[in-house]
Amino acid sequence: MWATIAFLIIFVFMIPKIRDPLLQRLGGAGDWIVKYAPYSFIVLAVFLAATIAALVLMIKWPGVVEPENPLAKYKKGDAGTD
């Protein structure tokens, strides 16, 4: 997954038509954080907490249990004992 994201980012930054507005918006984000200081930090903290909660949930989620084969009991020792 990380390789795919890195590959996408490389191509996004290679195209000037996309790169320039993206970098302008990222620069404007710093100004927004300073301008709306107490509220912007709360919003960023909520986003960070939601990201951490999602990662913990994905890590702690129980694994998928493979269903038991219903024909497995007929494979062992039951050949020709009718």
Side-chain angles (χ1 to χ4, degrees):
M1 182 172 98
W2 294 109
T4 307
I5 293 171
F7 186 73
L8 178 69
I9 289 173
I10 288 170
F11 278 101
V12 164
F13 282 114
M14 285 175 66
I15 303 169
K17 188 175 182 180
I18 297 173
R19 181 184 57 217
D20 295 339
L22 184 63
L23 291 176
Q24 286 176 356
R25 290 180 195 270
L26 287 175
D31 297 337
W32 176 81
I33 290 171
V34 171
K35 185 176 179 181
Y36 298 104
Y39 303 114
S40 63
F41 292 131
I42 293 171
V43 169
L44 292 174
V46 168
F47 284 147
L48 182 64
T51 303
I52 292 172
L55 287 172
V56 168
L57 184 65
M58 288 188 329
I59 291 170
K60 299 288 184 178
W61 195 264
V64 177
V65 178
E66 291 292 327
E68 185 179 332
N69 185 1
L71 299 176
K73 61 183 173 182
Y74 297 112
K75 288 183 179 180
K76 296 179 185 175
D78 210 16
T81 59
D82 280 340

